Amino acid sequence: MRVVRGLSRSSPRPYRRRSSRRQKAPWLYLAPALIVLGSLLVYPIYQLGLISLFKYTQAQVSGGEPTTFEGFGNYAELFGDSQFWHVLLATVVFAAACVVSTLAVGCALAVLLTRVRAVPRLALMLAALGAWATPAVTGSTVWLFLFDADFGPVNRVLGLGDYSWTYGRFSAFFLVLLEVVWCSFPFVMVTVYAGIRAVPGEVLEAAALDGASHWRIWRSVLAPMLRPILVVVTIQSVIWDFKVFTQIYVMTNGGGIAGQNLVLNVYAYQQAFASSQYGLGSAIGVVMLLILLAVTLGYLRLLRRQGEEL
């Protein structure tokens, strides 16, 4: 009995060692990249948080006045400003619309790529990669020309005359949304297309033989199998679209008429550089960082509660 007990107690140890090694192996491979990224991100984030706690304006930068510790004074000033809450609401709604539209267009085109022949597929991939490779400033300028009130071809085709898309608040946001989706959907399309190609063909054939429609196959077969990929592209899209700057700044000339098209990134730029309130601008940056962390962690936690393996 003693021998049996000894064997039963000692036998799981090699298995536990092997399982612990397997769990540590991925982190060892990721360690060099994590070290590099950590060194590039930790110090700027530390400086951002540090500056947000001080009164740091042009007077302090030039040395005319000493830097004074404000604590959470910049945050109190920020949260007490009604414009900040309006800009925050506009940013959340605009980012949500961009994320949903980008995912819808990217996933639809990814499915289309699996149903067309080689030549149309290659043409669509090249066009999408061209949109992906176009700099944000260049793409924004081109879209402004396309929708220009005087020379834009879009108004001529639609018969809108000299209608100005950037004058109204919602039309300007809609125009920027189109440009953001145009330059963002290729990442979703290529990523989801690669995931669809990895799905066994027998699974899709079985669903088609059972009489499932294209929408039902996507909703009940492809989407659950592509859940880890969709998580990645969703989180990436949220991060990109929540901190949009170039498109808004270029296409609405710095935030629109009377700041009607401001988002948090442009608002932080105005406070930090246009108004020389670097501490207040840093506080806005910290708030944006915390919001993105909360959204990402909340989304991952929700998926884990649903039993998804990420």
Side-chain angles (χ1 to χ4, degrees):
M1 293 298 292
R2 292 181 180 177
V3 175
V4 173
R5 289 179 180 176
L7 290 175
S8 62
R9 290 180 180 177
S10 60
S11 56
R13 291 180 180 176
Y15 174 76
R16 292 177 180 175
R17 292 176 181 176
R18 288 195 297 269
S19 62
S20 63
R21 290 176 182 175
R22 291 177 181 176
Q23 293 176 357
K24 295 178 180 178
W27 293 104
L28 293 177
Y29 287 112
L30 292 173
L34 292 177
I35 293 174
V36 174
L37 290 176
S39 60
L40 294 176
L41 292 176
V42 171
Y43 181 74
I45 292 175
Y46 164 75
Q47 285 292 332
L48 184 72
L50 183 64
I51 294 175
S52 69
L53 300 177
F54 286 85
K55 181 181 179 181
Y56 200 67
T57 62
Q58 189 62 38
Q60 282 74 30
V61 173
S62 61
E65 295 181 7
T67 303
T68 56
F69 180 73
E70 294 285 333
F72 294 101
N74 289 321
Y75 295 94
E77 180 181 353
L78 182 66
F79 295 149
D81 186 5
S82 60
Q83 186 182 13
F84 166 76
W85 296 107
H86 290 299
V87 174
L88 176 61
L89 178 61
T91 304
V92 172
V93 175
F94 176 74
C98 289
V99 170
V100 173
S101 302
T102 302
L103 292 178
V105 173
C107 292
L109 292 179
V111 175
L112 179 62
L113 286 176
T114 63
R115 302 185 180 278
V116 297
R117 296 186 177 182
V119 175
R121 184 188 307 123
L122 178 61
L124 181 56
M125 292 284 286
L126 291 177
L129 292 178
W132 172 257
T134 302
V137 175
T138 305
S140 301
T141 305
V142 171
W143 276 80
L144 275 180
F145 170 75
L146 293 175
F147 288 84
D148 185 74
D150 298 322
F151 306 102
V154 175
N155 281 9
R156 296 181 181 180
V157 173
L158 299 179
L160 297 178
D162 58 351
Y163 177 76
S164 177
W165 291 82
T166 58
Y167 182 78
R169 183 187 186 192
F170 295 105
S171 61
F173 269 129
F174 178 72
L175 182 59
V176 177
L177 181 144
L178 293 179
E179 203 280 334
V180 170
V181 172
W182 175 76
C183 67
S184 301
F185 83 86
F187 170 75
V188 179
M189 183 190 73
V190 173
T191 307
V192 175
Y193 173 72
I196 294 176
R197 299 297 295 178
V199 175
E202 296 80 5
V203 176
L204 302 179
E205 293 178 2
L209 291 175
D210 289 338
S213 61
H214 297 317
W215 169 248
R216 186 62 183 273
I217 292 175
W218 167 261
R219 186 183 65 180
S220 302
V221 180
L222 287 177
M225 299 183 71
L226 298 176
R227 188 68 62 87
I229 294 177
L230 294 177
V231 169
V232 173
V233 297
T234 300
I235 294 176
Q236 192 71 45
S237 298
V238 169
I239 295 174
W240 283 343
D241 296 339
F242 191 81
K243 61 183 186 67
V244 165
F245 174 82
T246 304
Q247 291 87 343
I248 289 286
Y249 193 83
V250 173
M251 300 180 72
T252 65
N253 195 20
I257 301 173
Q260 63 181 1
N261 296 113
L262 282 176
V263 293
L264 280 180
N265 230 356
V266 180
Y267 183 59
Y269 175 82
Q270 288 186 352
Q271 295 296 326
F273 297 99
S275 301
S276 299
Q277 296 182 1
Y278 303 107
L280 189 60
S282 299
I284 299 174
V286 172
V287 171
M288 291 180 60
L289 176 63
L290 294 178
I291 291 175
L292 288 175
L293 285 176
V295 172
T296 303
L297 295 177
Y299 187 51
L300 294 177
R301 185 176 181 183
L302 178 62
L303 291 176
R304 286 188 176 275
R305 285 183 178 180
Q306 295 176 353
E308 296 291 339
E309 295 184 1
L310 303 177

